[in-house]
């Protein structure tokens, strides 16, 4: 097995035993990237020399010492470009600082390596909204890797990254992980610093790991979590050692099956994989319990009011003055703003800025934004009530396996509706993981299916315990 | 439920976003379809306090102590246009 296709856990053992050096990993990875990335399009850029320099300095006594981590291109890494998959920032912007999550990784001895493609400003579920190139699913090159962290998932699945960081606003870590057959974890809202993550929807965004195994997700989480005074929403709560969740059993764990999630419209292959997964959890000693999340059908509508509303405010910063693209054609200040943004943003970003501006505009605020905030409370209360009788909730991560490239391109509403199982988790701020649970056959292709597990706020331990037990079976 | 009326040019101006006529037609149709869908919220009795974010954390303030930020050079390093160590914008006052 090549170093590039190894897990963090394996590489750490070899590093500590001095069988390999951090530079060996970087070199092996660099040759794998050079060989496969022209086809996969997962990376937007990588700097091997810089990574080698950092790797030589890496403190191998730290928990991630010498491990290279790929970074979604909306997280600032000092001195590197940070494009957000947008013409607004590509080719002009370089990060003047490290994001909080990057500082955490560096403290743990990890080495950032490479910038990963994504839907522009994290808006999308296919990575087709990147203005900078196509990313392909390693399981079928004619299909999407999911999104918005599509590059992060495709790199891990294609063995051109050991592990990566993504960001998740409505499913953007879990859904690409599901479609590419890897593990993706969205921590509880507030667990991980968002300082230096380019903001999309601030009440929903969260950074998390995409990995080959649940154990690797636990390892990364150990280093990522914790209060950062530079992010006022980060929580000042104790961070357990998440690896203590590994190797446990789940006998007696109550697993909630929301009846609203197991409905018509789910791909038959996904449905079958889920049924098998529930059987497997049962065989491991878990107790399935049917539950109800009655406001599930409001999730997509609520999200597609709140997220664009927040995005329209957050993206106001791209005004061609302090950083990024600036239109050369404008004659006055208003024209400067309007043309800079017209030229810099792609269609999905424009669509969401317009949608968000509309729902916040005078006369519509109560009808849309305030209603969505009320619905959000009801969705959160659904989960609170469900967690009175279960320890964990399971569902498909996505109702369908990976679509063909271009299939949903001109139908944004149809694409939005596919986020039905991931969105409520962000609205309620809960931790959730997606892990592989089999395959679905589509047009002769065998495509990965993701199992989503959702836990109570700050209960990542239960999530990892169940996911690890499932993965080991 | 009738489709909501959207003055796309007004919204685009509020968003400081120039649109071509083709884009205006395209986005108008797409926004109308999306808003017709999200309008399902108005059919529900939403008896709940609005929540702006999911965690019970409010009014976070930091210690009132001076701290350093970017140097002038760091702050200006990404400026598309700078003059005399400042950001340059088009002339505002005649």
């Amino acid at each position: 097995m090549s170093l590039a296709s190894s897990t963090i856990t394996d590489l750490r053992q070899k590093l500590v035993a001095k069988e390999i050096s951090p530079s060996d990993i970087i070199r092996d990875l660099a040759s794998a990237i050079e060989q496969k990335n022209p086809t996969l399009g997962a990376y937007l850029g990588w700097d091997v020399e810089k990574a080698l320099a950092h790797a030589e300095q890496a403190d191998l006594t730290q928990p991630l010492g010498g491990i290279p981590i790929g970074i979604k291109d909306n997280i600032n890494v000092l001195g590197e470009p940070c494009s957000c998959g947008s013409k607004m920032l590509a080719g002009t912007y370089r990060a003047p600082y490290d994001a909080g999550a990057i500082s955490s990784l560096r403290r743990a001895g990890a080495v950032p390596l490479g910038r990963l493609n994504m839907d522009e400003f994290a808006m999308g579920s296919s990575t087709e909204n990147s203005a900078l190139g196509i990313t392909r699913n390693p399981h079928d090159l004619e299909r999407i890797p999911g999104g918005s962290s599509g590059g992060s998932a495709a790199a891990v699945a294609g063995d051109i990254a050991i592990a990566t960081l993504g960001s998740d606003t409505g499913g953007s870590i879990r859904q690409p992980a599901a479609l590419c057959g890897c593990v993706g974890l969205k921590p509880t809202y507030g667990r991980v610093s968002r300082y230096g993550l380019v903001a999309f929807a601030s009440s929903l965004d969260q950074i998390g790991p995409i990995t080959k195994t649940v154990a690797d997700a636990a390892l990364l989480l150990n280093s990522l979590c914790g209060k950062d005074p530079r992010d006022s929403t980060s929580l000042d709560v104790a961070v357990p050692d998440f690896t203590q969740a590994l190797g446990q059993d789940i006998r007696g764990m109550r697993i909630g099956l929301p009846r609203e999630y197991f409905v018509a419209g789910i791909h038959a292959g996904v449905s079958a994989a889920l049924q098998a997964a529930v059987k497997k959890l049962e065989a491991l000693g878990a107790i399935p319990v049917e539950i109800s999340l009655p406001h599930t059908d409001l999730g997509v509508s609520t999200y597609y009011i709140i997220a664009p509303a927040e995005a329209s405010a957050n993206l106001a910063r791209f005004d061609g003055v302090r950083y990024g693209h600036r239109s050369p054609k404008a004659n006055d200040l208003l024209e400067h703003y309007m043309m800079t943004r017209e030229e810099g943003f792609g269609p999905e970003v424009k669509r969401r800025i317009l949608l968000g501006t509309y729902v916040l505009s005078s006369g519509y605020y109560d009808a849309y934004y305030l209603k969505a905030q009320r619905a959000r409370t009801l969705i959160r209360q659904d989960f609170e009530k469900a967690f009175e009788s279960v320890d964990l909730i399971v569902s498909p991560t996505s109702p369908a396996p990976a679509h063909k490239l271009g299939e949903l391109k001109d139908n944004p509403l149809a694409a939005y509706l596919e986020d039905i199982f991931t969105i409520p988790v962000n609205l309620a701020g809960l931790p959730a993981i997606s892990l592989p649970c089999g395959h679905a056959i589509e047009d002769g292709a065998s495509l990965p299916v993701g199992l989503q597990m959702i836990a109570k706020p700050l209960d990542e331990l239960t999530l990892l315990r169940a996911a690890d037990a499932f993965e080991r079976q | 439920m009738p489709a909501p009326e959207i003055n796309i040019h007004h919204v685009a101006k509020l968003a400081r976003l120039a649109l071509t006529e083709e884009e205006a037609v395209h986005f108008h149709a797409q926004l109308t379809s999306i808003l017709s869908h999200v309008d399902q919220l108005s059919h529900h009795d939403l008896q709940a306090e609005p929540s702006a974010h999911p965690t019970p954390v409010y009014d976070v303030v930091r210690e009132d102590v001076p701290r350093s930020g970017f140097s002038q050079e760091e702050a200006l390093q990404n400026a598309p246009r700078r003059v005399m160590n400042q950001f340059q914008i088009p002339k505002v006052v005649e």
Side-chain angles (χ1 to χ4, degrees), chain A residues 92-94 96-97 189 203 232 235 297-298 301-302 305 310 320-324 326 332-334 336-338 341-342 347 350-351 353-355 357-359 361 364 368 370-374 376-378 380 412-413 416-417 427-429, chain B residues 4-6 8 11-20 23 26-27 30-31 33-35 37-42 44-55 57 60 67 70 74-75 77-81 87-92:
Chain A
T92 56
Y93 177 83
R94 268 182 196 272
Y97 64 103
Y189 182 78
S203 78
S232 61
L235 295 171
D297 65 326
L298 302 183
S301 295
T302 301
I305 293 170
E310 294 184 10
V321 175
R322 289 154 301 160
Y323 35 68
R326 171 179 175 133
D332 60 31
L333 190 61
L334 181 62
H336 160 89
Y337 291 143
M338 297 196 60
R341 290 159 64 79
E342 155 77 352
K350 287 178 183 170
R351 185 153 49 236
I353 288 175
L354 291 168
L355 185 56
T357 304
Y358 176 79
V359 298
S361 63
Y364 297 101
Y368 291 105
L370 194 65
K371 276 210 180 88
Q373 287 194 316
R374 290 188 197 284
R376 178 178 195 162
T377 303
L378 295 171
R380 199 190 67 231
L413 184 57
Y416 296 172
L417 291 171
L427 291 168
Chain B
E5 277 298 315
I6 307 161
I8 196 77
V11 175
K13 190 167 178 202
L14 288 176
R16 297 291 183 262
L17 187 61
L19 296 180
T20 63
E23 279 180 319
H26 190 60
F27 287 135
Q30 289 182 332
L31 257 57
S33 132
I34 295 164
L35 286 165
H37 180 82
V38 305
D39 204 55
Q40 69 163 154
L41 293 187
S42 62
H44 286 262
D45 182 24
L46 304 172
Q47 293 294 331
E49 285 297 309
S51 43
H53 57 92
T55 43
V57 175
V60 178
R67 54 177 185 178
F70 285 147
E74 283 169 332
Q77 74 175 52
N78 286 302
R81 272 189 224 169
F87 297 106
Q88 190 184 31
I89 59 167
K91 194 172 175 183
V92 179

Side-chain angles (χ1 to χ4, degrees), chain A residues 142-305:
Chain A
E142 293 310 308
R143 291 178 189 270
I144 59 164
S148 65
S149 313
S152 299
V156 171
D159 286 334
I160 53 174
I162 309 301
T164 58
L165 291 191
S167 68
D168 191 316
T169 305
S172 283
I173 289 173
R174 291 159 285 157
Q175 185 260 18
L179 269 43
C180 288
C182 29
V183 174
L185 192 153
K186 183 201 95 73
T188 307
Y189 182 78
R191 267 287 195 203
V192 179
S193 167
R194 285 116 34 101
Y195 174 74
L197 167 70
V198 178
F200 161 16
S202 302
S203 78
L204 304 162
D205 298 341
Q206 190 62 202
I207 291 175
I210 296 181
T211 56
K212 290 166 190 164
T213 62
V214 176
D216 280 6
L219 265 177
L220 269 176
L221 209 56
N222 271 357
S223 302
L224 288 170
C225 293
K227 171 75 181 166
D228 181 349
R230 298 167 301 181
D231 173 1
S232 61
T233 61
S234 83
L235 295 171
D236 195 4
V237 293
V239 179
D241 174 5
F242 293 107
T243 59
Q244 59 177 291
L246 307 174
Q248 307 289 316
D249 73 65
I250 57 166
R251 272 194 290 274
M253 193 183 276
R254 293 159 303 165
I255 307 278
L257 308 171
R259 75 174 72 101
E260 294 82 2
Y261 284 22
F262 292 88
V263 291
I266 299 179
H267 186 281
V270 172
S271 209
L274 249 291
Q275 279 168 18
V278 172
K279 284 242 153 53
K280 191 162 139 184
L281 288 166
E282 234 182 312
L284 288 165
I287 305 159
V289 180
E290 189 182 278
I291 57 165
S292 175
L293 299 170
H295 296 95
T296 295
D297 65 326
L298 302 183
V300 172
S301 295
T302 301
Y303 179 86
Y304 280 97
I305 293 170

Side-chain angles (χ1 to χ4, degrees), chain A residues 441-461:
Chain A
I441 306 296
E442 172 87 0
D443 287 346
S446 174
L447 303 167
V449 175
L451 169 68
Q452 177 175 241
M453 298 177 169
I454 308 165
K456 290 173 212 167
L458 301 174
D459 196 12
E460 284 86 355
L461 279 173

Side-chain angles (χ1 to χ4, degrees), chain A residues 85-132:
Chain A
S86 180
K87 285 192 285 183
M88 186 61 96
L89 291 169
T92 56
Y93 177 83
R94 268 182 196 272
Y97 64 103
D98 268 337
I102 300 300
S103 304
S104 303
L105 287 183
R106 288 198 206 273
R107 268 196 303 276
V111 180
L113 172 59
R115 305 182 294 110
L116 293 155
N117 200 14
M118 54 184 281
D119 284 301
E120 185 175 3
F121 288 104
M123 298 177 188
S125 312
S126 70
T127 313
E128 291 170 295
N129 295 328
S130 171
L132 308 178

Side-chain angles (χ1 to χ4, degrees), chain A residues 60-108:
Chain A
L60 297 186
T61 65
Q62 293 299 314
L64 298 174
I67 302 294
I69 306 287
I71 310 295
K72 185 176 181 180
D73 209 24
N74 60 351
I75 301 173
N76 279 269
V77 179
L78 177 66
E80 301 291 326
C82 179
S83 73
C84 296
S86 180
K87 285 192 285 183
M88 186 61 96
L89 291 169
T92 56
Y93 177 83
R94 268 182 196 272
Y97 64 103
D98 268 337
I102 300 300
S103 304
S104 303
L105 287 183
R106 288 198 206 273
R107 268 196 303 276

